[in-house]
């Protein structure tokens, strides 16, 4: 069974940095893309960034462009999100998700991918 396990969340000051990690395990085959999503109470889930498996093309949401960087280590089956110049509005629960093209009903469509396998999330709080 596929598992995505996030780590690296915590408390940061405005202008500070955090690095999130997501380790993927328990799968055969491959995923088409993997990315990060944010959920804030009272708001819809927001796409933050993703990276395509085929060509490593990266995508970013408008709110994080120029501040966040996604990368992955294929040998470790791990994807990272480097978050710089953090703002209070970056606070939320960050979820890692991958496009395995399953029949899951819990999915998010973004940039042509269907993110359908989710981690448990990691809390990020940006506050002084």
């Amino acid at each position: 069974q596929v598992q995505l396990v996030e780590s690296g969340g915590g408390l940061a000051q405005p202008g500070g940095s955090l690095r999130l990690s997501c380790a993927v395990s328990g799968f055969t085959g491959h995923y088409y893309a993997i990315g990060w999503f944010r959920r804030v109470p009272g708001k819809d889930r927001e796409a933050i960034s993703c990276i395509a498996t085929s060509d490593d093309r990266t995508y970013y949401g408008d709110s994080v462009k120029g501040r966040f960087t996604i990368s992955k280590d294929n040998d470790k089956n791990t994807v990272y999100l480097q978050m710089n110049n953090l703002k209070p509005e970056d606070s939320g629960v960050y979820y890692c998700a991958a496009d395995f093209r399953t029949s899951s009903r819990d999915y998010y469509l973004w940039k042509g991918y269907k993110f359908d396998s989710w981690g448990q999330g990691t809390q990020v709080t940006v506050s002084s």
Side-chain angles (χ1 to χ4, degrees), residues 10-25:
L11 177 64
Q13 291 190 339
S17 299
L18 285 173
R19 187 194 194 204
L20 305 183
S21 300
C22 172
V24 188
S25 63

Side-chain angles (χ1 to χ4, degrees), residues 51-63:
I51 184 167
T53 299
S54 61
D55 58 5
D56 287 345
R57 184 173 181 180
T58 58
Y59 302 88
Y60 296 93
D62 289 340
S63 64

Side-chain angles (χ1 to χ4, degrees), residues 42 52 58 96 120:
T58 58
C96 175
Q120 293 301 304

Side-chain angles (χ1 to χ4, degrees), residues 32-96:
Y32 293 86
I34 190 165
W36 293 92
F37 300 79
R38 177 170 69 207
R39 176 162 272 166
V40 177
K43 294 187 177 181
D44 292 336
R45 189 162 44 184
E46 177 186 6
I48 299 301
S49 181
C50 72
I51 184 167
T53 299
S54 61
D55 58 5
D56 287 345
R57 184 173 181 180
T58 58
Y59 302 88
Y60 296 93
D62 289 340
S63 64
V64 305
K65 282 180 181 176
R67 299 188 298 121
F68 290 11
T69 303
I70 191 170
S71 62
K72 62 185 176 77
D73 184 330
N74 293 328
D75 291 337
K76 296 181 179 180
N77 286 321
T78 299
V79 64
Y80 305 97
L81 184 69
Q82 178 65 44
M83 305 187 294
N84 297 330
N85 191 21
L86 284 163
K87 303 176 181 180
E89 52 264 41
D90 293 323
S91 298
V93 179
Y94 283 69
Y95 295 89
C96 175

